[in-house]
């Protein structure tokens, strides 16, 4: 039942505020795509436009070759999952999942036996078998979100859309549900688009990530591509952590003040620029070519690594680097740093 989604030159404006500005996007059949961006970037507006809940001022949305403007909301067969679950509190888990099937016109409604069979299959799929007689208030947040997903899947949607599906859950439950949703997607092959502001969630779950900012898509690509090869400064700063160092580019090298700190830059580039380097791409090294001296001012634990904050002469901020070794320099110790990878914008 899955289809491809094509958005062409979508534009949507609220009063004087453009929520979408000439956005184009292609989602392949059975692909899982994340719409990632800060608040107000347009990601939820784009999701609602795909669903037909928001009418575009300009542009078109296609499912395969069908222009969605020619179909009613019911005929679009959209499975939509909200952050707030939107479950019917007076209905059991079974009746919540069966709701979309029972609400169909009589000529399209499955038989009672078929509804029971389909709901039973979905309960197994979302790992809630045995809970069908409970009410939403008797479930945990993670269980309620799985009921909402099962209800969306019950109508056999052509597209599954999720708006911040795990945003209301605590970190541990979110992490567990991410793995479960990826596994569910691989089993169902549903074309899926989900909105999130959680970078880790997007990178872990999606086949492709579209990064939005102020109504435009800044970059689209695989999680590896957008993280390792950002196309501009916004993507680099937004996705993950990065130190930003003012440099001057000349002769294929980047200089901080008069100190060369990074090489291998194309000779066609020159002049002032910003060098972005992630904490994991800075290592401690002996003095030598492309080494930047500094003084360790703070050491703190950051998960499995130690995060060093190093003061650099002539730079107002501290450079942050991750040290995986159990041996760390002392606070106040002079060190030399080398950048193993960096981006120049």
């Amino acid at each position: 039942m899955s289809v491809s989604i094509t958005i062409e030159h979508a534009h949507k404006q609220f009063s004087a505020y453009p929520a979408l500005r000439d956005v184009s996007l292609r989602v392949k059949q059975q692909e899982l795509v994340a719409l990632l961006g800060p608040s107000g970037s347009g990601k939820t507006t784009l999701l609602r436009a795909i669903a037909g809940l928001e009418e575009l001022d300009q542009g078109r949305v296609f499912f395969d070759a069908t222009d969605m403007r020619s179909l009613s909301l019911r005929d679009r067969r959209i499975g939509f999952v909200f952050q707030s679950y939107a479950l019917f509190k007076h209905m059991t888990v079974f009746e919540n999942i069966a709701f979309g099937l029972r609400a169909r016109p009589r000529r399209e409604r499955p038989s009672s036996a078929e509804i029971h069979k389909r709901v039973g299959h979905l309960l197994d799929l979302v790992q809630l078998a045995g809970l069908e007689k409970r009410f939403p208030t008797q479930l945990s947040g993670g269980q309620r979100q799985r009921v909402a997903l099962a209800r969306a899947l019950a109508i056999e949607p052509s597209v599954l859309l999720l708006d911040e599906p795990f945003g209301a859950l605590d970190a541990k439950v979110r992490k567990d549900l991410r793995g479960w949703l990826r596994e569910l997607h691989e089993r169902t092959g549903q074309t899926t688009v989900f909105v999130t502001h959680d970078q880790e969630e997007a990178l872990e779950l999606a086949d492709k990530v579209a990064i939005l900012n102020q109504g435009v898509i800044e970059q689209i690509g695989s999680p590896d591509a957008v993280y390792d090869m950002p196309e501009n400064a916004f993507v680099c700063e937004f996705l993950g952590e990065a130190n930003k160092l003012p440099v001057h580019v000349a002769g294929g090298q980047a200089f901080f003040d008069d100190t060369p700190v990074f090489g291998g830059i194309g000779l066609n580039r020159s002049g002032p620029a910003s060098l972005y380097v992630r904490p994991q791409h800075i290592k401690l090294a002996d003095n030598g070519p492309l080494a930047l001296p500094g003084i360790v001012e703070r050491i703190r634990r950051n998960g499995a690594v130690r995060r060093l904050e190093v003061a650099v002469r002539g730079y107002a901020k501290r450079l942050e680097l991750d040290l995986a070794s159990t041996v760390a320099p002392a606070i106040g110790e002079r060190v030399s740093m080398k950048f193993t990878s960096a981006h120049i914008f």
Side-chain angles (χ1 to χ4, degrees):
M1 292 291 294
S2 65
V3 299
S4 64
I5 305 170
T6 303
I7 298 102
E8 292 184 347
H9 306 293
H11 185 90
K12 180 66 180 180
Q13 188 146 339
F14 297 105
S15 298
Y17 173 69
L20 296 174
R21 296 186 290 164
D22 196 29
V23 169
S24 295
L25 176 67
R26 165 84 173 174
V27 181
K28 298 177 182 176
Q29 277 189 10
Q30 301 186 340
E31 200 168 36
L32 179 60
V33 172
L35 304 180
L36 176 66
S39 297
S41 61
K43 53 189 187 295
T44 295
T45 301
L46 181 57
L47 191 79
R48 289 175 61 84
I50 295 171
L53 300 176
E54 205 72 69
E55 186 176 347
L56 292 172
D57 298 328
Q58 298 174 29
R60 296 187 294 176
V61 177
F62 292 89
F63 286 3
D64 287 339
T66 303
D67 189 334
M68 288 295 98
R69 292 177 299 182
S70 65
L71 297 180
S72 67
L73 283 176
R74 186 173 63 83
D75 291 336
R76 293 184 185 205
R77 299 182 72 90
I78 298 290
F80 203 109
V81 179
F82 299 89
Q83 177 181 343
S84 60
Y85 321 128
L87 299 178
F88 299 112
K89 295 180 181 179
H90 65 287
M91 292 184 180
T92 64
V93 167
F94 182 96
E95 291 302 326
N96 264 284
I97 297 173
F99 178 79
L101 299 173
R102 296 198 194 281
R104 286 181 177 177
R106 184 177 298 275
R107 65 181 182 280
E108 299 176 16
R109 191 181 309 155
S111 66
S112 179
E114 177 60 28
I115 290 174
H116 275 77
K117 180 180 177 181
R118 193 176 301 181
V119 172
H121 170 72
L122 286 166
L123 285 165
D124 288 337
L125 190 66
V126 300
Q127 301 168 6
L128 290 176
L131 302 183
E132 58 269 20
K133 293 183 180 179
R134 292 193 184 182
F135 290 90
T137 54
Q138 298 172 305
L139 304 175
S140 69
Q143 289 171 329
R144 276 179 271 177
Q145 192 58 284
R146 280 187 274 166
V147 174
L149 277 162
R151 184 177 63 183
L153 291 169
I155 63 169
E156 298 179 323
S158 55
V159 168
L160 182 62
L161 305 178
L162 303 96
D163 189 8
E164 302 264 12
F166 309 134
L169 305 173
D170 64 58
K172 176 65 169 63
V173 175
R174 282 205 310 268
K175 190 168 183 64
D176 291 343
L177 279 181
R178 287 204 299 262
W180 172 81
L181 180 60
R182 181 70 227 189
E183 182 181 334
L184 180 69
H185 173 77
E186 290 170 355
R187 291 173 64 183
T188 62
Q190 198 75 51
T191 303
T192 303
V193 181
F194 74 99
V195 161
T196 182
H197 65 272
D198 186 321
Q199 301 169 18
E200 183 180 332
E201 188 170 282
L203 295 175
E204 180 180 336
L205 267 176
D207 300 314
K208 191 163 64 180
V209 180
I211 300 173
L212 285 87
N213 178 37
Q214 296 183 346
V216 301
I217 293 180
E218 298 279 0
Q219 186 173 349
I220 306 170
S222 69
D224 286 342
V226 295
Y227 187 86
D228 295 331
M229 294 171 284
E231 293 180 355
N232 56 46
F234 173 82
V235 174
C236 190
E237 287 190 89
F238 177 74
L239 205 57
E241 298 178 277
N243 298 283
K244 179 182 178 182
L245 198 66
V247 296
H248 186 87
V249 178
Q253 292 186 321
F255 293 80
F256 176 70
D257 285 342
D258 295 326
T259 303
V261 294
F262 192 69
I265 302 169
L267 294 175
N268 61 330
R269 296 201 60 168
S270 62
S274 294
L275 181 144
Y276 293 86
V277 57
R278 301 197 187 279
Q280 67 268 30
H281 294 151
I282 305 177
K283 67 177 184 178
L284 299 182
D286 297 329
N287 286 320
L290 304 180
L292 181 65
I295 299 174
V296 178
E297 291 200 343
R298 189 181 179 200
I299 302 173
R300 53 191 167 89
R301 194 78 188 188
N302 189 26
V305 301
R306 286 176 172 80
R307 174 65 57 87
L308 273 63
E309 296 183 15
V310 181
V312 175
R313 186 175 176 180
Y315 183 54
K317 298 181 179 180
R318 297 167 178 165
L319 284 183
E320 298 191 2
L321 66 100
D322 288 337
L323 192 67
S325 170
T326 56
V327 179
I331 293 176
E333 185 174 339
R334 293 183 178 276
V335 294
S336 289
M337 299 169 287
K338 287 192 175 181
F339 304 151
T340 61
S341 178
H343 302 282
I344 304 283
F345 297 111

